[in-house]
Amino acid sequence: RLVGDPLPPLERRRQEHPAAVEDRRIDFVQRLELVVAGVDDIRIRKQIGQTGQPGVGAARHRVGGEAGRAEIRPGAVGAAPRLPIGAYNVPGRTGLNLTPAALAALWRIPQLVAVKESSGNLVQIGTMAAELPPGKRLLSGDDNLALPSIAAGASGLVSVMANLLPRETRALVKAALAGNLDEAREWHATLLPVMEALFVESNPIPLKWALSELGLIQPGIRLPLTPLSERHHATVRRALRSANLQ
């Protein structure tokens, strides 16, 4: 489903590759237009290098320190010398917000080419967009903020929902980037129930349950993730019906 519906690089889907079977993962990597890999994963970095695919190493776990002050351990940047690096700001999972001032300091690193912004703070997103150096990219990390983020200056989306609705997600992003606001708002309103349903529990739990419900993957989930609570099944099913998936 994913490989059969390729999207431009800045509309890439998030893939939780550690859950993939090893001999299928390399085939998946070879068929992608762009690979985003954590810099801590030595095997996937080697696989990307061997396939010759364009890629970005996402330095999610190496930003630390006090709020507003950026620190990157030298090993984080040097860990993927053949790949450009993308920062990932996700305060909900790291407990630390990458502020515009901290990001401005990080932009001095030549390998750093993009930031995936998942703070949920539109003021911060707008500030980052306004201060974006030439040649750098700001990507929305939240489906439900893709439209306003692109309106503020983001150039794409790293999407969860696109695993379920690749064509529809692409249509939303394409319309927003083209400045077709009426069309983009219509797509946003149509897809909003799905966006919200996919986060009734920690991602990717609802997503994997939805994919299983549609028969696209086998049932089950790996620890430390747990199955979607039964009280949320009806919510996700309603969202799937709203998108004509059931």
Side-chain angles (χ1 to χ4, degrees):
R1 177 182 175 86
L2 295 180
V3 173
D5 181 44
L7 299 184
L10 294 182
E11 299 168 32
R12 291 265 60 90
R13 307 159 181 82
R14 172 176 175 169
Q15 286 304 301
E16 301 289 345
H17 70 79
V21 178
E22 188 70 25
D23 60 354
R24 296 174 62 186
R25 176 166 59 183
I26 187 63
D27 176 66
F28 186 76
V29 167
Q30 289 173 326
R31 298 167 73 183
L32 291 177
E33 296 175 16
L34 175 72
V35 182
V36 179
V39 295
D40 289 335
D41 193 323
I42 296 173
R43 289 181 302 169
I44 195 68
R45 288 204 316 274
K46 288 182 177 180
Q47 289 174 352
I48 295 170
Q50 290 167 357
T51 62
Q53 294 294 84
V56 176
R60 175 172 60 179
H61 302 295
R62 297 298 190 188
V63 178
E66 299 173 359
R69 181 167 61 87
E71 296 176 358
I72 280 201
R73 300 177 188 176
V77 178
R82 296 180 59 187
L83 298 177
I85 293 174
Y88 180 9
N89 186 33
V90 55
R93 297 204 173 190
T94 64
L96 179 71
N97 180 42
L98 182 64
T99 66
L103 181 62
L106 295 183
W107 285 136
R108 294 197 294 266
I109 300 170
Q111 282 177 267
L112 189 66
V113 298
V115 58
K116 174 185 173 183
E117 229 299 327
S118 297
S119 69
N121 185 333
L122 285 175
V123 174
Q124 173 166 297
I125 292 168
T127 302
M128 288 180 173
E131 298 175 351
L132 202 64
K136 307 295 187 179
R137 299 280 191 172
L138 171 63
L139 306 176
S140 173
D142 297 302
D143 289 306
N144 61 357
L145 293 181
L147 174 55
S149 295
I150 291 172
S155 55
L157 166 67
V158 180
S159 177
V160 172
M161 179 178 62
N163 288 278
L164 269 177
L165 297 167
R167 294 177 179 85
E168 293 82 352
T169 305
R170 179 180 185 178
L172 165 62
V173 172
K174 185 177 179 180
L177 289 173
N180 299 327
L181 295 183
D182 288 341
E183 181 183 353
R185 281 194 292 262
E186 184 175 346
W187 277 116
H188 176 83
T190 299
L191 298 173
L192 189 58
V194 178
M195 298 175 189
E196 297 299 310
L198 292 180
F199 286 88
V200 292
E201 290 186 23
S202 181
N203 177 57
I205 292 172
L207 170 64
K208 289 182 178 291
W209 186 89
L211 290 169
S212 174
E213 181 79 356
L214 297 176
L216 297 173
I217 64 172
Q218 294 297 319
I221 198 164
R222 292 187 179 191
L223 292 173
L225 301 176
T226 56
L228 182 69
S229 301
E230 287 190 16
R231 63 191 178 92
H232 291 140
H233 289 188
T235 299
V236 178
R237 285 193 179 106
R238 281 195 300 271
L240 296 179
R241 286 194 296 270
S242 75
N244 296 319
L245 288 174
Q246 277 197 333

